Amino acid sequence: QVLVSSISALGQGGASSITTRGGSLQINATVLPANASFRAITWSVSDISIATISGTGLLKALADGVVTVTASATDASGVVGR
């Protein structure tokens, strides 16, 4: 079994913020190595009263503020990316 060694998460087009309430931003994850046995990830945000994120990485603003988006490997590696 090849475990995930790193995950990087980046907003579409390099964006790192949403400037309108109710706006959204697609977050994309890069999972390495490319031949990892289980490349699936789960998404989470640090404060669900400010933003939510879907299982596909679509971040949606609910209120003004700052959140940290985390992508977590679903294998036994324990690797997370932000």
Side-chain angles (χ1 to χ4, degrees), residues 45-70:
V45 292
S46 57
D47 188 337
I48 60 171
S49 69
I50 296 174
T52 60
I53 193 161
S54 73
T56 60
L58 185 63
L59 181 68
K60 183 164 184 172
L62 302 176
D64 293 340
V66 176
V67 295
T68 299
V69 173
T70 302

Side-chain angles (χ1 to χ4, degrees), residues 1-81:
Q1 179 178 5
V2 179
L3 296 178
V4 171
S5 61
S6 70
I7 301 171
S8 60
L10 184 64
Q12 189 168 3
S16 60
S17 63
I18 299 171
T19 56
T20 58
R21 185 173 296 159
S24 61
L25 175 63
Q26 180 64 48
I27 308 295
N28 300 306
T30 301
V31 177
L32 295 176
N35 67 335
S37 299
F38 301 100
R39 297 175 48 83
I41 57 168
T42 58
W43 293 100
S44 61
V45 292
S46 57
D47 188 337
I48 60 171
S49 69
I50 296 174
T52 60
I53 193 161
S54 73
T56 60
L58 185 63
L59 181 68
K60 183 164 184 172
L62 302 176
D64 293 340
V66 176
V67 295
T68 299
V69 173
T70 302
S72 303
T74 59
D75 65 4
S77 66
V79 171
V80 298

